[in-house]
């Protein structure tokens, strides 16, 4: 009885709609008429006749492979700096965590679009050094990297987790290493990083899943088009276009299930490979 509200929410708002979308992925459904069963036609079209699917996959994988390692590296760097016991540590933690709370909002995406516009703050700063900056948002060669920078800027959440993990490493290990003549750099690679691998693993899995699901920044900065020339066409944005732009809900459901499989495969690979590089107490 105590679990009944959770069961209602899970089956009514999560499992139920997921199963319905699985059924819809095998239909032709436009939200206005009844779904019509077409078998695996949606999946066949995705695999053989959809150029935008390939473009969105390329953009999304590029974004994930760039943003996740850079964000984790920057978060770890800041966590190591904060772990040295500087004065006002709670204030620094709060300030650095703030972008993680605000970064996925529409307001920040609009602000980011203004920062990297042709007459934005970034180009105004570069003009002080005689550099004529491009229109970062409307340039296909740079538009995606502005979104990567936005993702890295949201380093607060993994930083807090890294900082908590650093606090669990026994200090006597560093003292013993110092007596043996180990430098700070060698201590980091031989003590800090190996003992921190469970935290690195957790952050990597969570941030990878979040990166695959990124939507709001690309939608706002590109105006919902994924432009210029599909350079910011995230997979989730393409899914949204198919579902609510062209009312191909059945096709969008197939795209959603492919994304689910991709995330599941990445997560499974992470857990299978963890035995070779993640070190626990045992």
């Amino acid at each position: 009885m105590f679990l009944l509200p959770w069961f209602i929410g899970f089956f009514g708002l999560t499992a139920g709609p997921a199963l319905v979308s699985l059924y819809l992925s095998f239909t032709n459904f436009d939200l206005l008429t009844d779904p019509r069963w077409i078998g695996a036609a949606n999946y066949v079209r995705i695999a053989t006749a959809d150029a935008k699917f390939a473009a969105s996959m390329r953009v999304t994988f590029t974004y994930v492979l760039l943003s996740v390692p850079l964000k984790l590296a920057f978060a770890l760097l800041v966590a190591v700096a904060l772990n040295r016991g500087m004065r006002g540590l709670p204030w620094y933690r709060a300030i650095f965590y703030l972008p993680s709370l605000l970064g996925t909002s529409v307001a920040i995406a609009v602000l980011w679009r203004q920062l990297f516009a042709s007459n934005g703050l970034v180009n105004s700063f570069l003009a002080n050094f005689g550099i004529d900056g491009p229109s970062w948002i409307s340039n296909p060669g740079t538009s995606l990297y502005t979104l990567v920078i936005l993702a890295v800027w949201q380093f607060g959440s993994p930083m807090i987790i890294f900082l908590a993990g650093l606090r669990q490493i026994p200090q006597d290990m560093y003292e013993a290493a110092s007596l043996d003549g180990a430098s700070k750099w060698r201590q980091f690679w031989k003590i800090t990083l190996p003992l921190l691998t469970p935290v690195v693993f957790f952050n990597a899995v969570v941030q990878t899943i979040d990166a695959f699901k990124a939507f709001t920044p690309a939608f706002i900065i590109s105006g919902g088009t994924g432009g210029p020339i599909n350079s910011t066409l995230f997979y989730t944005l393409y899914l949204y276009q198919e579902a609510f732009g062209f009312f191909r809900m059945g096709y969008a459901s197939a795209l959603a299930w492919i994304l689910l499989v991709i995330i599941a495969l990445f997560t499974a690979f992470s857990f299978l490979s963890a035995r070779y590089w993640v070190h626990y107490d045992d």
Side-chain angles (χ1 to χ4, degrees):
M1 291 299 295
F2 282 113
L3 287 175
L4 185 59
W6 183 88
F7 279 119
I8 294 175
F10 176 73
F11 289 105
L13 302 177
T14 303
L19 293 176
V20 171
S21 73
L22 179 60
Y23 163 74
L24 292 177
S25 69
F26 294 97
T27 67
N28 183 7
F29 181 45
D30 59 4
L31 291 176
L32 301 177
T33 58
D34 293 335
R36 181 171 57 86
W37 182 267
I38 57 174
N42 287 328
Y43 294 96
V44 172
R45 178 190 166 195
I46 291 173
T48 61
D50 191 348
K52 292 189 72 174
F53 168 77
S56 66
M57 290 292 294
R58 182 173 60 254
V59 170
T60 302
F61 272 90
T62 302
Y63 174 78
V64 171
L65 293 176
L66 288 177
S67 64
V68 174
L70 290 175
K71 180 193 286 189
L72 294 183
F74 192 67
L76 180 58
L77 177 65
V78 176
V80 170
L82 293 180
N83 192 45
R84 295 183 177 180
M86 62 177 59
R87 181 176 299 178
L89 179 60
W91 289 99
Y92 283 107
R93 285 187 302 191
I95 293 172
F96 289 149
Y97 185 70
L98 192 60
S100 292
L101 297 176
L102 304 177
T104 57
S105 66
V106 174
I108 294 298
V110 172
L111 174 63
W112 215 255
R113 184 174 61 186
Q114 297 302 319
L115 284 174
F116 287 94
S118 57
N119 58 346
L121 184 61
V122 173
N123 282 345
S124 298
F125 174 76
L126 295 176
N128 295 327
F129 303 94
I131 301 175
D132 187 16
S135 179
W136 305 91
I137 299 299
S138 58
N139 187 340
T142 58
S143 56
L144 179 61
Y145 300 109
T146 63
L147 297 178
V148 172
I149 295 173
L150 175 57
V152 175
W153 178 67
Q154 302 169 42
F155 66 92
S157 178
M159 180 210 68
I160 294 295
I161 299 174
F162 276 136
L163 188 57
L166 289 170
R167 294 297 177 88
Q168 303 302 316
I169 299 177
Q171 292 300 311
D172 55 0
M173 291 188 175
Y174 295 107
E175 296 172 359
S178 297
L179 292 175
D180 290 337
S183 63
K184 294 294 184 181
W185 183 250
R186 189 170 181 83
Q187 291 177 29
F188 175 79
W189 284 103
K190 296 298 183 180
I191 299 176
T192 304
L193 200 56
L195 294 179
L196 205 61
T197 48
V199 181
V200 174
F201 171 69
F202 173 80
N203 273 334
V205 171
V206 172
Q207 296 303 321
T208 300
I209 294 174
D210 286 344
F212 271 114
K213 297 189 300 180
F215 170 78
T216 303
F219 180 83
I220 297 299
I221 289 178
S222 69
T225 64
I229 318 178
N230 294 334
S231 59
T232 59
L233 185 64
F234 284 9
Y235 191 92
T236 52
L237 178 56
Y238 177 48
L239 191 156
Y240 174 86
Q241 291 177 349
E242 288 292 324
F244 301 104
F246 303 109
F247 296 102
R248 292 193 280 259
M249 188 61 66
Y251 193 72
S253 297
L255 291 172
W257 274 90
I258 290 177
L259 178 60
L260 173 65
V261 171
I262 291 173
I263 293 177
L265 290 176
F266 263 81
T267 305
F269 174 78
S270 299
F271 275 91
L272 290 175
S273 64
R275 69 182 67 180
Y276 300 107
W277 63 275
V278 179
H279 308 285
Y280 295 100
D281 292 337
D282 54 356

